Amino acid sequence: MSSHTTDGKISARLIGIALGAALGGLLFGYDSSIVNGTVDAVQEQFGLNAVTIGFTVSCALIGAAIGAWVAGVVAERMGRVRTMIIAAVLLGASALGAGFCFGPVDLIIWRIVGGLGVGFASVIAPAYIAEISPAAHRGRLGSLQQMSIVVGIFIAFLVSALLVYVMGSADAVGWFGLEAWRWMYLSLLVPAVVYGVLASRLPESPRYLVERGRYVEAAQVLSRDVGMEPGAMTEQKIEEIRATVHLERHQTFSDLIGRFGFHPVVWIGILLSMFQQLVGINVIFYYSTTLWKSVGFAESDSFTISLITSVTNIVATIIAISLIDVLGRKLLLLLGSGIMTLSLGAMTLAFSQAVTVDGALSLPGAWGTIALISANLFVIGFGASWGPAVWVLLGEMFPNSIRTLALGVAAAAQWLTNFLVSTTFPSLAEAGLQLAYGIYASFALLSFLFVLFMVKETKGRKLEEMTL
C-alpha cells in the first residue's frame, strides 16, 4: 500500500491536535518578539550600552539553546505532552519574573528561564506534529508550527503597539504603577496558561507509546486521532514503528555520533538551522522598532511598520502552507534563498545611502521606501520558505531511532546562531547598517548553494523510511 493510505487521513480532529501542539510556536514567537517594544525603554531605565542591551535582548536565546538540547532527552523520558506542559510553566514563570524585575540582572535571569521554555517548545512541536501526521499532509500540518510563530510575533507587536498607544510610550507608567514595557512582558502569561491547558488534553505520540510498549494506547491514537483504519492497518503501522525505534533502551546522544562527529543527516539538520538564522531574519523582529527609528521614523510609525511586517509574515506563511506539499521542501527553500539574496542586497544598498541629519540617521529621497519594500520582500521570501520548511524538515528528516535527540541538537544550533546574530547586530549597526545587511545577504546566497547540493527531498515519505 502507498503511504497515503496507510498513514491515516486529514480530519478536523487531527488539525485541532496539530494546532494545539503548534501553540508552542505562538509562545516562542510571542516571547521572542515582545522584547522588540521594550528595547529602548529598558536601555534608558537601566542605563545600558549597546553591548549590554544586545545581551539583554538575546540572552533568552542562550536558555533556548539549552532548552532545545535538553528537550529531546526530556521528551524521550517523559513523553511529548509532558514536555509541552513544562515549556508552558517555564514561559509563564518568565512572564511574571521579567514583568516585576528589579534590574538588568534579574531581567536577564528571567529571560533565560523563558528561553528554556522556548527551547522546549521549539523542539517538541515539530517532532510531535510530524509523528501524528499522515505523510501526504505532513508538510501542511508541520507548517502550522511556523504559522503559530508568526501569529505570535504579530500578537506581540499588536500588544506592544496598543500599550504604547494607550500609555503614550514604552517607558510611560500605567496601570498599578507599572511601566508599559513591564506589561509587555506580563502579557505573555495569558498564552502560556492557554498552552499549558490545551497541551494537557493532547494525546501522546504513537511513536513514543510504541517505544514504551504501550501498544493498545498507540493503536487507539492511530485510529481515533490519526485516522487509520483499526485492525490490520494500525497493527502494521505499529510494527513499522517497532522496527525503527529502540525498544530495549532509551535514546542517548551517542546514537547521533558518526564518522564526522555526527551522522551526515544530523550535520545537514544543524546547518539548515544555522542558515535559517544567519540570513538575519530575527533582526527584523527583535530590533525593527529601533531600526526604523534609527533611520528617521517616529516611534509610533516604527511600531506600525513592525506590525505591517508581522502581517506580511503571516501572509507569506499561508503561501508556504499551500505550496509545501505541492512543490516540496527543497524547491521552496531554493526559491526563498533567491528572494532573500536579492532583497537583502537591496537593503544593503539602501542603507549605504543613509545620511546624518541633526545628529540622527535618515534615508534620503526614495531610499526609505526602497528599504521598507525590500525588508517586507525579505520577510515574504523567508516566511514562504525557510521559516516553515526548515521546521518541517527538522521534524521529519531524522530516523525514528534518533528523531527527538537530533532535532534537539539542530534546534540548539539554531538558537545559538540566533544568539550570535542578535547579539552582534547592535555593534554592526553602529558600524553601518549596510555592513550588517551585506553579511546577511552573503549568507542567503550560501544557503542557496547548500540546499542545492546537500539537502534531499522528503515530501511524501513516511517517517519510517528515513535513514541515517
Side-chain angles (χ1 to χ4, degrees):
M1 291 185 179
S2 71
S3 63
H4 291 223
T5 58
T6 61
D7 262 9
K9 58 187 178 182
I10 200 78
S11 66
R13 181 180 181 86
L14 184 59
I15 293 172
I17 291 171
L19 281 171
L23 189 60
L26 185 146
L27 273 171
F28 91 64
Y30 193 104
D31 180 80
S32 298
S33 294
I34 198 67
V35 68
N36 184 292
T38 72
V39 173
D40 290 342
V42 169
Q43 183 173 16
E44 182 176 346
Q45 181 159 340
F46 296 136
L48 307 179
N49 58 31
V51 174
T52 310
I53 191 62
F55 182 76
T56 303
V57 169
S58 57
C59 66
L61 304 175
I62 297 176
I66 297 170
W69 185 277
V70 174
V73 177
V74 175
E76 282 302 305
R77 302 293 191 272
M78 301 180 64
R80 282 46 164 167
V81 171
R82 288 178 180 172
T83 304
M84 295 182 206
I85 295 172
I86 292 172
V89 171
L90 289 169
L91 284 159
S94 171
L96 291 171
F100 293 111
C101 69
F102 300 103
V105 174
D106 60 318
L107 175 58
I108 288 171
I109 291 172
W110 288 114
R111 290 279 296 150
I112 291 174
V113 170
L116 290 171
V118 166
F120 271 62
S122 70
V123 168
I124 200 58
Y128 178 85
I129 293 172
E131 291 178 350
I132 64 166
S133 300
H137 304 287
R138 195 170 57 235
R140 292 187 180 91
L141 292 176
S143 297
L144 293 176
Q145 158 86 345
Q146 181 66 15
M147 175 58 78
S148 293
I149 294 172
V150 299
V151 169
I153 291 170
F154 169 75
I155 295 175
F157 281 138
L158 181 60
V159 169
S160 296
L162 287 174
L163 286 169
V164 168
Y165 176 78
V166 171
M167 298 185 188
S169 67
D171 57 0
V173 177
W175 307 304
F176 303 104
L178 298 176
E179 297 91 338
W181 66 264
R182 292 183 183 274
W183 284 108
M184 292 177 192
Y185 284 126
L186 287 169
S187 65
L188 177 63
L189 185 62
V190 175
V193 171
V194 173
Y195 178 50
V197 172
L198 289 179
S200 67
R201 301 175 65 85
L202 294 177
E204 186 52 82
S205 160
R207 285 166 179 82
Y208 173 79
L209 294 172
V210 170
E211 280 187 321
R212 295 297 173 271
R214 295 157 62 180
Y215 305 127
V216 174
E217 293 174 68
Q220 290 173 344
V221 173
L222 289 170
S223 59
R224 182 189 64 229
D225 302 311
V226 182
M228 297 181 63
E229 293 293 331
M233 191 173 290
T234 57
E235 291 174 7
Q236 177 186 337
K237 171 55 66 176
I238 288 173
E239 286 304 313
E240 289 178 357
I241 297 171
R242 276 172 52 86
T244 57
V245 298
H246 295 306
L247 296 176
E248 72 283 358
R249 63 177 177 84
H250 292 301
Q251 294 180 23
T252 65
F253 283 109
S254 63
D255 296 326
L256 307 182
I257 304 302
R259 184 178 178 183
F260 302 103
F262 291 120
H263 290 295
V265 69
V266 180
W267 279 119
I268 291 173
I270 290 171
L271 289 170
L272 274 171
S273 289
M274 293 179 67
F275 274 119
Q276 191 196 52
Q277 298 303 315
L278 287 170
V279 297
I281 185 62
N282 280 312
V283 165
I284 294 290
F285 296 114
Y286 294 162
Y287 293 105
S288 60
T289 302
T290 303
L291 171 66
W292 298 120
K293 283 175 62 180
S294 73
V295 291
F297 291 93
E299 182 179 45
S300 59
D301 291 335
S302 299
F303 272 102
T304 302
I305 292 168
S306 297
L307 197 60
I308 292 171
T309 301
S310 66
V311 172
T312 302
N313 203 11
I314 292 174
V315 173
T317 304
I318 294 172
I319 295 172
I321 291 173
S322 65
L323 293 178
I324 194 165
D325 281 326
V326 178
L327 298 181
R329 289 63 160 148
K330 184 167 183 172
L331 179 55
L332 208 57
L333 289 174
L334 290 172
L335 291 172
S337 292
I339 294 171
M340 291 190 298
T341 301
L342 293 174
S343 56
L344 286 168
M347 290 181 72
T348 302
L349 180 60
F351 286 123
S352 71
Q353 308 301 312
V355 296
T356 303
V357 178
D358 297 329
L361 284 178
S362 178
L363 293 177
W367 288 111
T369 302
I370 292 171
L372 278 174
I373 293 173
S374 299
N376 281 283
L377 182 60
F378 169 54
V379 170
I380 290 172
F382 180 90
S385 61
W386 278 80
V390 168
W391 287 115
V392 170
L393 276 166
L394 293 180
E396 68 186 8
M397 66 186 290
F398 303 116
N400 281 341
S401 59
I402 64 168
R403 176 168 297 109
T404 53
L405 291 183
L407 207 166
V409 169
Q414 181 173 139
W415 290 115
L416 287 173
T417 309
N418 192 339
F419 172 76
L420 173 66
V421 172
S422 301
T423 304
T424 56
F425 177 75
S427 299
L428 286 174
E430 285 188 349
L433 288 170
Q434 68 272 22
L435 172 63
Y437 283 97
I439 292 172
Y440 304 148
S442 300
F443 279 117
L445 179 59
L446 288 174
S447 73
F448 180 92
L449 299 175
F450 170 71
V451 172
L452 183 64
F453 294 110
M454 299 301 296
V455 176
K456 295 180 180 179
E457 184 57 72
T458 55
K459 182 183 76 169
R461 294 176 60 191
K462 291 192 290 186
L463 295 184
E464 287 66 43
E465 297 173 2
M466 307 299 176
T467 56
L468 292 174

